[in-house]
Amino acid sequence: MARRATGVTLQQLSSFIEVAAEGSISAAADLLYVAQPTLSASMKELEARVGFPLLVRSSRGVTLTTEGAEFLGYARQVVEQVALLEQRYLGGPPSRRLLGVSTQHYSFAVDAFVRLVRRTEGAQYEFSLRETRTWDIIEDVRTLRSELGIIYRNDFNRAVIDKLLRECGLAFHPLFLAEPHIFVSRKNPLAARERATLADLADLPRLTFDQGANNSFYFAEEILSTLSSAREIRVSDRATIFNLMIGLDGYTISTGIISDDLDPSIVAVPLDVDERIEIGWIGHSAVPLTELAQGYLDEVRAVVSGFGVALLGEEPGSPV
């Protein structure tokens, strides 16, 4: 049996992170100012040293293997910790803070992101926040384009979502349970109601977030997606959905958690249905979160707690 080579270098880890981010060895080589054959050889040597393939190569670029996605998570942590060590003890420059989050269209997720950015130490960072479709969130996290995702489950979609997550090597971690609310314009007659019923919504346009090619009921962001509606409008972003709430007296169904600072024209009214929305975060089953990602989840918990919503699962800052 051949003995596996040892001694992965920090340079190889940094190069691998760039290759994974770019999805292309040649594009990463341009960013790193090295020749493409040199970087390609370095990646093959790295795979030989760890003992398993990290990349799937094709004419369109490279993608991560399952093992490669897990390895990337650890590589990022090693490189980040070395940068912090050099900064603190060797007079190095401040490390560049990195974090990617993909989420369904929730204002609390944006509010938490704003809080995180405001309290992030150091002048240099590279963050991304993607409000996107359910399938794309799962794909973002699977490929580590984002470190974590924010999605919802309920009794209707739970089995399908959980099966897909298992197949992708991901896990769902509950954050909180929310009572369903409708979001409507402050000018909507229902805005003054203590509660709304499904009958109240019958003549109003139902606004939902488009799920693209995967526009299955199971991937809808709104509960009760199988109920028929005489007037239905699909949109792709929160700004549009809010404009349609104001201009057409439309509604959407969500968690009821909405920031007046971010969305001052919209109010949440409890919806009288026997349903609950379970909000949680998804991440790789075998990859621990970075400190920055844990900090983001702490901010999510803080935002949600501020609305009087009880939290589920892990304590703030606990390891995954």
Side-chain angles (χ1 to χ4, degrees), residues 28-318:
D30 290 340
L31 289 175
L32 295 169
Y33 300 103
V34 299
Q36 188 272 338
T38 300
L39 183 56
S40 181
S42 177
M43 293 299 96
K44 290 180 180 178
E45 181 182 1
L46 176 61
E47 290 174 312
R49 289 185 173 185
V50 300
F52 47 77
L54 300 173
L55 301 169
V56 177
R57 296 162 175 83
S58 72
S59 59
R60 293 173 294 179
V62 296
T63 57
L64 295 173
T65 63
T66 301
E67 294 85 358
E70 181 178 349
F71 185 83
L72 177 60
Y74 287 103
R76 283 173 169 167
Q77 291 185 69
V78 169
V79 171
E80 180 179 306
Q81 290 301 314
V82 169
L84 291 173
L85 184 151
E86 291 178 343
Q87 176 189 345
R88 181 163 184 175
Y89 296 106
L90 303 178
S95 60
R96 189 173 182 84
R97 312 297 302 277
L98 303 174
L99 177 67
V101 175
S102 293
T103 177
Q104 291 175 330
H105 299 79
Y106 299 125
S107 65
F108 69 81
V110 178
D111 201 355
F113 193 83
V114 170
R115 293 187 183 198
L116 177 71
V117 173
R118 285 176 175 169
R119 74 173 177 86
T120 299
E121 296 180 359
Q124 297 186 25
Y125 54 78
E126 184 176 333
F127 295 161
S128 67
L129 177 65
R130 277 171 42 86
E131 283 192 331
T132 188
R133 300 162 176 166
T134 304
W135 179 276
D136 291 338
I137 294 168
I138 295 172
E139 187 66 9
D140 282 353
V141 179
R142 184 188 70 81
T143 61
L144 285 170
R145 176 178 184 178
S146 291
E147 188 171 349
L148 62 89
I150 304 291
I151 64 173
Y152 98 93
R153 297 187 308 192
N154 70 344
D155 292 339
F156 173 72
N157 71 1
R158 183 185 307 273
V160 172
I161 293 295
D162 286 352
K163 180 177 184 292
L164 179 58
L165 293 178
R166 285 195 303 272
E167 292 172 350
C168 293
L170 308 179
F172 182 96
H173 305 263
L175 286 167
F176 63 93
L177 284 176
E179 178 185 358
H181 287 64
I182 58 167
F183 286 173
V184 293
S185 162
R186 290 185 182 276
K187 299 178 181 180
N188 190 300
L190 295 178
R193 291 281 195 91
E194 290 187 3
R195 302 186 72 82
T197 68
L198 291 177
D200 294 329
L201 307 177
D203 294 327
L204 300 181
R206 181 169 70 180
L207 310 175
T208 62
F209 286 107
D210 179 69
Q211 297 297 320
N214 298 288
N215 211 12
S216 161
F217 291 131
Y218 296 107
F219 295 111
E221 291 190 36
E222 306 82 15
I223 65 168
L224 307 174
S225 57
T226 58
L227 293 182
S228 62
S229 174
R231 302 173 181 180
E232 177 113 15
I233 301 175
R234 293 193 180 101
V235 302
S236 60
D237 62 86
R238 272 197 305 133
T240 301
I241 212 169
F242 289 160
N243 286 338
L244 294 177
M245 288 177 197
I246 296 169
L248 297 177
D249 276 340
Y251 74 92
T252 193
I253 303 175
S254 191
T255 63
I257 302 174
I258 189 166
S259 170
D260 286 339
D261 292 337
L262 295 176
D263 310 305
S265 302
I266 307 301
V267 296
V269 180
L271 181 61
D272 194 12
V273 292
D274 187 21
E275 292 269 357
R276 289 295 180 269
I277 303 171
E278 183 184 30
I279 302 292
W281 65 272
I282 61 172
H284 272 268
S285 303
V287 181
L289 291 183
T290 61
E291 181 179 348
L292 201 58
Q294 290 180 8
Y296 173 72
L297 291 177
D298 285 345
E299 295 295 353
V300 170
R301 295 182 180 103
V303 171
V304 171
S305 296
F307 284 84
V309 177
L311 299 173
L312 300 173
E314 308 130 4
E315 293 298 319
S318 64

